[in-house]
């Protein structure tokens, strides 16, 4: 239902203090030490038994792990709810234990290979219902001399992505709806708030992109729940009346641009507007 309303809105056809103090000091020491070492040097130090450094190292590379996982899955992966991220996190830890500098490879390159291999295994386990037609003639060796089948993998990923995408879209729409409610805006209202003419929508999308890219203006919006009309008027050239009249529409677009809503952003084709707003901000 939310997706239907969204399409109509767009009008598109498509312990103790002492212990705590010591822990903080140790943590700070490990952090500074890690920052002065290369990933390869840090991994070797971890392999010598520094488990606290292992925890800090993994924590610092969580964005990298999420990026590799999202690239493999060809969609945004949420670290708090997606099993794929957990699989990748375990694989990264495994890579720390298995890495050898004698291999001649960088640690991050090695870690990505291990993550990809474990994700392939995961997808295969999830797709056991697929036909067991032999594709042995298509088998290949990957960078680590491990056999894999590109045809089988492609089929498994396609079926898996079809199922997971629908769930991701529903969750994303629910999250977006909850964010809008913080500004007193509902999906039903957006249907009527959407400009009827394409030129008007483009103009307002461009203005919303400026709002999303300006940290001060967007921060004021989040803090007060109100559009920074004066600042937005000066930055966009639109009249105060136009901005106030299209408040709900621009808040919705700015929230999509600023938030983690890959499906909605792709549906809106908003990347061009965001790039244009970034250039204007520079």
């Amino acid at each position: 239902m939310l997706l239907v309303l969204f399409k109509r809105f767009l009008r598109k056809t498509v312990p103790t203090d002492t212990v705590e103090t010591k822990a903080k000091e140790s943590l700070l020491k490990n952090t500074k030490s890690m920052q002065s070492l290369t990933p390869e040097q840090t991994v070797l130090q971890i392999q010598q038994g520094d488990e606290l450094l292992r925890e800090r190292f993994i924590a610092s590379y969580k964005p990298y792990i999420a990026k590799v996982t999202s690239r493999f899955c060809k969609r945004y992966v949420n670290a708090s709810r997606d099993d794929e991220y957990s699989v990748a996190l375990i694989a990264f830890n495994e890579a720390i234990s298995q890495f050898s500098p004698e291999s001649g490879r960088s640690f991050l390159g090695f870690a990505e290979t291990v993550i990809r291999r474990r994700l392939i295994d995961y997808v295969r386990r999830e797709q056991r219902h697929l036909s067991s037609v032999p594709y042995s003639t298509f088998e290949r060796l990957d960078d680590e001399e491990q056999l894999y089948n590109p045809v089988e993998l492609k089929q498994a990923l396609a079926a898996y992505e079809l199922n997971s995408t629908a769930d991701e879209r529903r969750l994303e729409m629910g999250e977006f709806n909850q964010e809008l409610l913080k500004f007193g805006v509902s999906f039903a209202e957006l249907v009527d708030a959407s400009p009827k003419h394409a030129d008007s929508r483009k103009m307002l999308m461009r203005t919303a992109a400026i709002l999303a890219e300006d940290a001060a203006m967007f921060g004021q919006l989040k803090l007060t729940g109100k559009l920074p009309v004066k600042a937005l008027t000066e930055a966009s050239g639109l009249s105060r009346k136009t901005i106030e009249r299209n408040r709900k529409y621009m808040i919705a677009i700015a929230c999509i641009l600023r938030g983690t809503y890959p499906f909605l952003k792709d549906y809106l084709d908003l990347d061009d507007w965001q790039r244009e707003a970034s250039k204007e901000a520079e």
Side-chain angles (χ1 to χ4, degrees):
M1 181 62 183
L2 290 179
L3 185 57
V4 173
L5 287 172
F6 187 72
K7 289 181 178 179
R8 290 177 59 193
F9 153 58
L10 295 175
R11 302 183 185 273
K12 290 187 66 173
T13 57
V14 288
T16 66
D17 291 341
T18 302
V19 173
E20 289 179 356
T21 300
K22 289 183 177 180
K24 290 179 180 178
E25 290 176 349
S26 177
L27 184 62
L28 181 59
K29 179 180 179 181
N30 275 280
T31 300
K32 290 181 177 179
S33 175
M34 187 172 64
Q35 290 174 346
S36 64
L37 300 175
T38 65
E40 292 74 21
Q41 292 171 328
T42 303
V43 169
L44 290 180
Q45 190 168 323
I46 293 171
Q47 291 177 347
Q48 292 171 3
D50 195 334
E51 291 303 312
L52 181 58
L53 182 57
R54 180 192 291 266
E55 293 179 11
R56 292 296 305 157
F57 185 65
I58 293 175
S60 68
Y61 275 91
K62 283 184 177 181
Y64 170 80
I65 297 170
K67 180 180 178 181
V68 171
T69 309
S70 296
R71 184 163 61 234
F72 176 88
C73 296
K74 298 181 180 179
R75 63 177 175 82
Y76 169 73
V77 171
N78 189 305
S80 64
R81 64 169 180 254
D82 285 326
D83 292 338
E84 294 91 341
Y85 178 80
S86 298
V87 171
L89 196 63
I90 294 172
F92 188 84
N93 185 48
E94 178 186 345
I96 294 175
S97 300
Q98 294 181 351
F99 177 71
S100 172
E102 284 75 20
S103 65
R105 299 186 62 185
S106 69
F107 169 72
L108 293 181
F110 174 73
E112 183 170 357
T113 298
V114 176
I115 291 173
R116 181 169 58 85
R117 191 186 305 161
R118 295 296 169 257
L119 286 171
I120 289 173
D121 292 341
Y122 171 78
V123 171
R124 284 173 173 167
R125 288 196 302 271
E126 292 295 304
Q127 298 300 319
R128 288 174 180 172
H129 65 278
L130 291 179
S131 174
S132 58
V133 177
Y135 296 116
S136 58
T137 56
F138 298 99
E139 289 183 344
R140 301 286 187 272
L141 288 173
D142 63 15
D143 295 338
E144 297 297 316
E145 301 297 317
Q146 298 291 322
L147 277 175
Y148 77 100
N149 194 305
V151 176
E152 179 187 14
L153 179 58
K154 184 177 181 180
Q155 288 183 335
L157 284 172
Y160 179 74
E161 187 175 353
L162 184 63
N163 292 328
S164 62
T165 297
D167 292 335
E168 283 291 321
R169 186 182 292 111
R170 282 194 294 270
L171 287 170
E172 185 175 301
M173 293 296 294
E175 290 177 1
F176 180 56
N177 186 47
Q178 289 301 310
E179 182 171 7
L180 286 179
L181 291 176
K182 296 176 182 178
F183 299 100
V185 181
S186 69
F187 256 106
E189 290 177 300
L190 288 180
V191 176
D192 295 327
S194 175
K196 295 180 175 58
H197 301 291
D199 288 343
S200 297
R201 289 198 299 274
K202 289 179 180 180
M203 175 184 67
L204 294 175
M205 283 183 181
R206 186 178 293 108
T207 304
I210 295 173
L211 171 63
E213 287 296 316
D214 191 300
M217 283 197 289
F218 193 80
Q220 182 179 340
L221 172 65
K222 294 283 286 186
L223 181 64
T224 66
K226 300 178 181 179
L227 277 177
V229 179
K230 182 179 179 181
L232 197 54
T233 298
E234 295 174 352
S236 66
L238 295 182
S239 69
R240 183 184 187 92
K241 182 178 180 180
T242 299
I243 291 176
E244 291 177 339
R245 186 171 60 243
N246 295 280
R247 167 187 173 274
K248 295 176 182 178
Y249 184 83
M250 285 192 289
I251 287 177
I253 300 299
C255 286
I256 293 174
L257 286 170
R258 192 79 177 194
T260 52
Y261 303 113
F263 290 109
L264 298 182
K265 184 180 290 189
D266 182 63
Y267 188 80
L268 274 167
D269 296 326
L270 286 176
D271 286 336
D272 289 339
W273 303 118
Q274 200 159 23
R275 281 192 291 269
E276 184 176 329
S278 296
K279 290 179 181 180
E280 293 181 5
E282 293 173 357

